[in-house]
Amino acid sequence: MENELFTLSKTYDFKGTEERIYAMWEAAGYFKPQNDPAGLDHDPSIRPFVISIPPPNVTGELHLGHAMFVSMEDLMIRHQRMKGVPTLWVPGSDHAGIATQLQVEKHLLRTLEESREEIGRERFLEYTWEWKRKYGGIITDQIRRLGASCDWDRERFTLDNGLSRAVNEAFVRLYERGLIYRGPRLINWSPGLKTAVSDLEVEYHEEQGKLYHFKYRIQGGDDFLPVATTRPETILGDTAVAVHPEDERYQAFIGKTALVPILDRPIPVIADAYVDPEFGTGALKVTPGHDPNDYEIGERHNLPIVSVLDREARVTEEGGPYAGQDRFEARKNLWEDMKAQGLVIKEEPYSHQVPRSQRGGEIIEPMISTQWFVDIKPLAEPALQAVQDGRIRIVPEYFTRVYYNWMENIQDWCISRQLWWGHRIPIWYAPDGTMFCARSEEEAHEKAEVHFGEATQLEQDPDVLDTWFSSGLWPFSTLGWPDETADMAYFYPTTMMETGYDILFFWVARMIMMGLAFTGEIPFETVYLHGLIRDEQGRKMSKTIGNVIDPLTVMDEMGTDALRFTLLVGSTPGKDTNLSLKRVEANRNFANKIWNAGRLVLGLIPRCPREPEREPRWTMADGWIWARLNQLIAQVDRLFEGHQYGEAGRQIYDFFWSEFADWYLEIAKLQVSEGGDRAHYTVDLMVRTMDTCLRLLHPFTPYVTEELWQRMKKATQTHSEKLIPEDGPWAEALIVAPWPAAAPQQGWEEGNIARFTLLQEIVRTIRNLRAEKNVQPGLKIGATLVAGDLAHDIGHQSATIASLAKIQEDHLRIVEYLNEKPEGSIALVAGPVEIYLPLAEMVDPEEEKLRLGKDLQETEAQINRLQQLLDGPFAEKAPEKVVQGEREKLAGYLESADKIRAQLESLQ
RNA sequence: GGGCGCGUAGCUCAGCUGGUUAGAGCGCACGGUUCACAUCCGUGAGGUCGUGGGUUCGAGUCCCUCCGCGCCCACCA
């Protein structure tokens, strides 16, 4: 054969294809919004569809979480683009303060054997920028490889000049509104990272520890209060002992003076309702400097605050003999000394929640420290409102409850970090301590000059801002805010915020708060939250367990399309996905199926006669596939509308494989071989159906579909201009081809589908029996079909039936009725059709009776069920349409039962 | 302590606004190599949808109880 089939590999070659196709898309500018504000065809009546990418850490390497959001967002973007909506997907990356600094520090130690303190802030930052330039591109390259159709010309980095300007602007505005304050507060201190972290960056783990019971001696006597603690070293910072005001046991102690063990520092015994008399000993040591609750008690009772731990969690001078010791060492030593002094009562095993740093993993120490905070309530209020009144919609819906819950109990946000890599806090101090908050150093100097009447030395605050502060501005800072850019005017508010539910508070909530605060508008209309990717057994992927699946390896082995399809179809919004490689493999097979179906179509195109002689006339199969295709389009549209992307993909998969490929293409081969007009119409319809499937699949599996589509376009154009998609000429590329529209129903569809379904049933019934009776697969047998009224319709399909069921065509009889059962045949029933196969010699009549008897039994069971149903209240209460459906089913079963009975009789 | 989610075939999971014979992939069993595909084709076995109750003509789907699992938030020493 001279056709193209043999020039194409049987296996889809994704490796070469992906790179070539992506380069083609990018070069052609398909990733740019069609109605770019800079362009001339800007149509203000069409709202663009905009996504800001969740910026990956600049030092990161692609993991499945990235693969998930990229696939999902690319799906949405491609879908909208094909629908003709101007789409913008803004890419970028995040400087990721702590993560990057840690990584660079490690690298620095390894290569130059120097710490960041040794080389100093300035050199360290240079070094880090160098690092960023070198490795920052890795992640974006990997994202491209996933097929991400971002507008790469708009790529942003959170430490870019523009974005840094936005950060300063935001800080200044909050400061001027009085929503930023600085002060000593109890914060979460990470001794490993030597910085403060926010509440969200602390993770609590249930851990086995000890509860230490000891005696708090009362001054001037032998009395003592029994007290329990999990952290004995904090005893050194106690400034009170508290009991419940109504606790009868301890009434006498209230107002007395207790002595801190070892230090003998006198502290008051106070009464506070916070103390739970039931817990522990019922007496509580109060350490305002190292415990959030105690801090509050301290405020109520005006207690002094003693800090006994320093930045590295070593005991301070306040700790007397333990000064300089590490916190755990001090814990041990102090406890030993207390034992020696007879102050120890007991220690018991105790499991409790231990706070650990999300990044470093070490135990977080609550400490008093001077930090910058955002007064968050005034920002949270409108953010809560925006979701409550529906301006922002969260998918899946149940996450709105989670959002409310958090927003309603939100605490002030500690935004300063004692790091170097990040946005430096735009505050400058004069030598006398006066603060100037300014957008730039120049502005700070101007302000200082106005304030002092002369130029002054200024020093900028050494701290940097929490990374999430800049991320919170992302949807608008990437569009040029605070400037009133064309992009801001046209693309903002953005449309879709697609991200993992794990950063709902970290990121999404903050973007909503800051978006409303700075732009006065919501930053996005919809929040779509996907789940986490776990391993096959539902465990988190981690290097220590060794169950990490690397998306790059998966792409190498199975192709990007397979990975994307798996992530997209295997996930439900908000729910975690257990990824199994078996699944990816199955979807690689699907990609290959698409490829091979494409090869067949390509091979048949040249066999299409150029000009049909008569008006088109479709076969039953033609009408069926066309009707089903249109149903599919309608379904997919509905599902996309409701963000049910996975279900949409599944339906396309099923249609493509088990209807189009398994049935229609098989039949199309036969119809094409008839030649003439039939061949023409068949190829025409087949190409159109394939074209539509490729369009529907494109957002899921962009590469294989684009490749095939290009080839189809070329093949049809060289062959016949008549072979074009119904809605106009072939587009330039599939990525910008119009999304299919379902043809309006004309009324014949359901009947056609029903008739074809019967045909399928006939074929299956025959195949089934052949398999059961071990009829040689290649052996063609004869058959007689008794089809009553349907004989005419089915008669037209004799070639199809013959081919699919391996019946010898000239021995296939299709008749309306039969007086007598054909000699030596075995009888079957498919719906209202009786089938006789000349295989009597292969079967035992008794066995046949059993088989038919079983059939009859099943059919009668259905009849009974339906009759009862229809006799009951169902017939009156259920909608007419549903009842009618059941009646038709009943009629069908009754007919089948008759046929089976007749056959049983003839066996007697 | 508060909030949320899950429990469907041996395994991993779908199942939207309740519509009456519950689906897929993998695995399993049997059979298949000429003309798209063994990364394939055909046929089949396999589930009282965690438990108990309720609403309804009708419940895997809605409501409640209980059992089991998971997650998030929260200051119990």
Side-chain angles (χ1 to χ4, degrees), chain A residues 553-595:
Chain A
T553 315
V554 177
M555 282 192 273
D556 280 342
E557 286 168 4
M558 319 258 196
T560 299
D561 289 327
L563 176 61
R564 285 175 57 125
F565 200 82
T566 306
L567 293 173
L568 293 170
V569 168
S571 67
T572 316
K575 281 188 193 165
D576 291 354
T577 303
N578 296 354
L579 184 78
S580 106
L581 285 175
K582 288 277 185 195
R583 253 194 141 126
V584 186
E585 211 174 302
N587 290 323
R588 178 212 43 198
N589 295 352
F590 179 53
N592 205 53
K593 187 74 186 180
I594 301 172
W595 178 249

Side-chain angles (χ1 to χ4, degrees), chain A residues 601-674:
Chain A
V601 171
L602 286 170
L604 292 179
I605 286 172
R607 292 173 56 187
C608 170
R610 286 170 192 252
E611 297 298 332
E613 284 159 19
R614 282 182 291 271
E615 286 301 296
R617 195 185 279 155
W618 278 352
T619 64
M620 191 193 285
D622 292 337
W624 166 75
I625 200 70
W626 188 244
R628 286 286 305 127
L629 180 69
N630 280 297
Q631 288 181 344
L632 175 73
I633 298 170
Q635 277 287 317
V636 169
D637 275 344
R638 208 202 80 227
L639 291 165
F640 265 64
E641 200 67 35
H643 302 290
Q644 307 227 347
Y645 306 104
E647 185 60 22
R650 236 166 272 130
Q651 297 215 9
I652 305 171
Y653 176 104
D654 285 342
F655 174 82
F656 189 85
W657 201 319
S658 30
E659 300 190 66
F660 181 61
D662 284 353
W663 287 90
Y664 187 72
L665 286 182
E666 289 305 323
I667 293 171
K669 283 191 261 187
L670 298 173
Q671 295 186 171
V672 169
S673 65
E674 277 181 43

Side-chain angles (χ1 to χ4, degrees), chain A residues 594 690-698 705 709 712 734:
Chain A
I594 301 172
M690 184 75 189
D691 166 62
T692 304
C693 287
L694 291 178
R695 291 181 200 223
L696 294 176
L697 281 165
H698 185 257
T705 51
W709 197 83
M712 265 173 51
L734 181 56

